[in-house]
Amino acid sequence: MAIILGVDPGSRITGYGIIRAEGRDLEYLDSGCIRLGDKPLAERLQVIFHSLATLIGEYRPDEFAIEQVFMARNPDSALKLGQARGAAIVSAANSGLAVHEYSARQVKQAVVGKGGADKSQVQHMVQALLGLSRKPQADAADALAIALCHAHMNQSMVRVGTGAALQQPNHRGKLRGGRIR
């Protein structure tokens, strides 16, 4: 069993999603958005760092997954996104969590079944896969999709018999999982 924190970084809104995965069984724990407003960038990065540190302290995830940076049309936006990712990654690393990165295409493929899916398709599938009563907000849905993608990748590693996902110690120094099924 693993608790997975997925993060969809942004310099204005950072989405987060927390699930529990045990084999193919998935359970929704929490999701939401860290809204950063128009504060100076340094203050927004600080809010991302501390907000995620608080979530990590509360839920004690075993896994941390984040979306990889993509090439934006605006170089300034890409730099700010990279800095938001950096604040999130440092928050996870500071808590002893290994960081797993997935491209937007990988996430969409894992959750929707096609890498070119749009946001509404991702929201719909996240709602269906986690049995939610309503669609989560778009940024929270993206973060949950990242967590689901990571859970899927771990399950795939178990199925092919590598067991690599089960043999890495978590941030508390304990081995995750048990036997390979």
Side-chain angles (χ1 to χ4, degrees):
M1 174 174 50
I3 295 175
I4 304 168
L5 169 59
V7 174
D8 179 34
S11 64
R12 298 280 179 200
I13 299 174
T14 290
Y16 66 89
I18 305 168
I19 64 170
R20 180 179 289 123
E22 186 169 0
R24 292 179 187 218
D25 295 330
L26 303 169
E27 178 187 358
Y28 171 86
L29 297 179
D30 194 10
S31 65
C33 296
I34 303 165
R35 298 189 185 280
L36 304 161
D38 292 327
K39 299 174 188 175
L41 181 60
E43 288 179 33
R44 288 184 269 156
L45 298 175
Q46 185 180 41
V47 169
I48 293 169
F49 176 88
H50 287 298
S51 296
L52 290 175
T54 298
L55 287 167
I56 290 167
E58 182 178 346
Y59 288 97
R60 306 210 20 98
D62 302 295
E63 307 279 342
F64 179 88
I66 191 166
E67 189 172 82
Q68 288 176 341
V69 73
F70 62 93
M71 292 306 296
R73 291 184 188 147
N74 181 336
D76 188 53
S77 295
L79 285 171
K80 287 178 183 172
L81 174 60
Q83 290 169 328
R85 284 184 77 252
I89 289 169
V90 170
S91 188
N94 201 42
S95 297
L97 293 170
V99 174
H100 304 275
E101 299 180 59
Y102 299 97
S103 70
R105 188 166 211 60
Q106 285 176 298
V107 172
K108 292 173 182 178
Q109 180 69 39
V111 174
V112 178
K114 60 180 182 176
D118 64 32
K119 282 199 176 278
S120 67
Q121 291 171 307
V122 171
Q123 284 176 293
H124 174 77
M125 286 306 296
V126 165
Q127 179 185 11
L129 290 169
L130 294 174
L132 304 176
S133 60
R134 60 185 171 85
K135 288 183 184 176
Q137 192 274 345
D139 296 291
D142 288 347
L144 286 165
I146 293 162
L148 289 166
C149 175
H150 183 67
H152 175 75
M153 295 301 284
N154 271 351
Q155 186 61 27
S156 294
M157 290 174 71
V158 170
R159 276 197 308 269
V160 297
T162 65
L166 297 176
Q167 297 305 313
Q168 298 173 0
N170 67 18
H171 67 284
R172 291 183 287 277
K174 298 178 184 172
L175 288 180
R176 291 188 308 270
R179 60 191 168 165
I180 299 172
R181 295 181 184 137

